[in-house]
Amino acid sequence: MISRRDTLKLGMAAGAAAALAPTALSRAAPAPEPIITRPIPKSGERLPVVGLGSSATFSAVAGSEDWQRLRNVFMSMLEHGGTVFDTAPAYGASEEVAGQIVRESGLADELFWATKLNVAQGGSADPGRARAQVETSFQRVGKQVIDLIQVHNMGDVEMQFSILKELREQRRIRYAGVTTTFPRQYELLEQTMRAEPLDFIGVDYAIDNRVMEERILPLAADRGIAVLAYAPFGRTRLWEKVRGREVPSWAAELGIRTWAQYFLKFVISHPAITCATPATSRPANVVDNMSAAREPLPDRAMRERMAKHIETL
Ligand SMILES: NC(=O)c1ccc[n+]([C@@H]2O[C@H](COP(=O)([O-])OP(=O)(O)OC[C@H]3O[C@@H](n4cnc5c(N)ncnc54)[C@H](OP(=O)(O)O)[C@@H]3O)[C@@H](O)[C@H]2O)c1
């Protein structure tokens, strides 16, 4: 049986052969810039700066009859150089359906699989239920080792992060972290970043949502914590803002042709961001998103110009 990895290799080999043919060579467009990667500070392992999230529309499709179409979303991400996939038991059918797809397609080991733990629901978490949730996550993806598990929405961090530390010591997970996108939890996030041995945090960050730049991103850089940038489009917020509008012509200097590339290049040009995980249910949008992960990125002055432009809309 030909695995997905073999299929990808065959495709690449065919591409390489075609590239060597003299007629193709003479007509060849310049090779695209390689995908930008950033190191996870605690290990030095490099990750592509754009990945894939799975709440929102991904989760809606995962829970529908059309769920098989998400297979192409994964294949497009891998073919275009992405590896990071962010999910959670709380995202409806996302984790289960994504797990089934990657197991059946033999893709699980090619992905950096990031899931979450939270059985606290605002109060204290029962350790037995928390461990059971983690075991379900393992069964869903079928990997011996999960790359990253984070405590979702700062739920009972003391108890749940202690389970993640244990799993990390046992080498069942490679990295551990915490997430939040709720301003009321930012103070607790900051305290946790100072007190706990976090490898990762996952936080909301977008061109029109820059509060993370004030304290959390500098602290992450200072303490060597990797950052997943969540909701880089503000889910629907930025799309509503730019509906019916063209990307400004000066953004072409950065190779930007779409609003997704504009928003993502802004997010990943912050040096503390390790990877942005936009969610999508469409292969064409994955390709669009992955193409933002290539040079050039905006410098500080260009970032401000980009943000000001969005403020005027
Ligand atoms: N506390 C937490 O742990 C937490 C909280 C929030 C988010 N997250 C993670 O971060 C991920 C991303 O955040 P999010 O899902 O809230 O929102 P988002 O990524 O900011 O936006 C997703 C929306 O953008 C659309 N989209 C994606 N690519 C596009 C493109 N190239 N062109 C046009 N539209 C595009 C998607 O629709 P289409 O399907 O039509 O492309 C979807 O409606 C989540 O899925 C989740 O994995 C974690």
Side-chain angles (χ1 to χ4, degrees):
M1 204 179 94
I2 296 183
S3 72
R4 177 68 205 143
R5 189 190 287 268
D6 292 337
T7 316
L8 280 171
K9 276 193 196 142
L10 284 172
M12 282 189 264
L20 286 174
T23 46
L25 253 187
S26 50
R27 283 189 237 121
E33 292 287 334
I35 293 287
I36 302 167
T37 60
R38 293 256 165 78
I40 297 168
K42 294 277 161 63
S43 67
E45 174 184 359
R46 300 190 77 91
L47 295 180
V49 283
V50 176
L52 175 66
S54 69
S55 56
T57 48
F58 185 105
S59 148
V61 175
S64 76
E65 284 178 3
D66 223 10
W67 63 271
Q68 287 278 2
R69 91 173 204 226
L70 296 173
R71 196 178 299 275
N72 291 334
V73 169
F74 280 107
M75 290 186 356
S76 298
M77 176 172 73
L78 285 163
E79 277 162 18
H80 289 84
T83 60
V84 178
F85 177 64
D86 182 272
T87 189
Y91 297 164
S94 284
E95 189 189 47
E96 188 176 3
V97 162
Q100 183 176 340
I101 289 172
V102 303
R103 272 189 286 109
E104 286 175 358
S105 325
L107 296 176
D109 289 337
E110 295 178 41
L111 292 161
F112 184 94
W113 192 265
T115 190
K116 309 198 184 81
L117 164 64
N118 193 9
V119 296
Q121 284 156 359
S124 55
D126 171 68
R129 285 186 59 224
R131 287 178 205 283
Q133 189 178 73
V134 168
E135 292 313 318
T136 303
S137 292
F138 271 101
Q139 280 160 20
R140 286 175 170 170
V141 66
K143 278 170 78 123
Q144 293 296 310
V145 176
I146 287 184
D147 299 292
L148 167 64
I149 302 187
Q150 301 187 91
V151 175
H152 201 171
N153 291 334
M154 307 302 294
D156 194 352
V157 172
E158 198 180 335
M159 201 288 284
Q160 298 195 110
F161 192 70
S162 72
I163 292 182
L164 297 186
K165 281 191 284 195
E166 217 176 273
L167 290 163
R168 189 173 57 184
E169 273 159 30
Q170 296 163 353
R171 298 179 192 255
R172 293 194 70 205
I173 67 173
R174 298 170 64 221
Y175 302 104
V178 298
T179 77
T180 184
T181 54
F182 295 111
R184 65 173 186 277
Q185 295 180 334
Y186 293 165
E187 205 177 311
L188 175 61
L189 171 66
E190 205 177 313
Q191 286 165 17
T192 308
M193 290 168 76
R194 294 183 193 282
E196 293 286 358
L198 302 177
D199 302 309
F200 272 83
I201 57 169
V203 291
D204 52 319
Y205 180 51
I207 194 165
D208 65 341
N209 171 23
R210 300 177 64 182
V211 66
M212 286 297 149
E213 289 176 12
E214 291 163 20
R215 299 176 65 91
I216 304 290
L217 293 183
L219 183 61
D222 197 46
R223 296 197 58 85
I225 300 172
V227 182
L228 295 185
Y230 290 155
F233 306 136
R235 197 160 286 187
T236 53
R237 194 182 63 236
L238 280 165
W239 299 121
E240 278 157 22
K241 209 166 235 181
V242 298
R243 185 172 299 138
R245 295 175 190 272
E246 293 293 319
V247 173
S249 55
W250 45 262
E253 276 175 48
L254 296 166
I256 290 173
R257 295 179 321 279
T258 66
W259 282 114
Q261 294 163 20
Y262 187 101
F263 300 144
L264 287 171
K265 283 205 175 207
F266 178 88
V267 166
I268 63 177
S269 62
H270 192 292
I273 298 297
T274 312
C275 177
T277 63
T280 182
S281 54
R282 297 170 208 275
N285 284 352
V286 174
V287 177
D288 185 13
N289 297 344
M290 287 312 306
S291 66
R294 295 176 193 277
E295 297 286 356
L297 291 183
D299 61 13
R300 195 183 283 257
M302 187 56 129
R303 278 170 58 82
E304 293 314 317
R305 185 176 187 190
M306 291 168 84
K308 286 232 156 53
H309 181 73
I310 297 299
E311 276 168 27
T312 64
L313 302 181

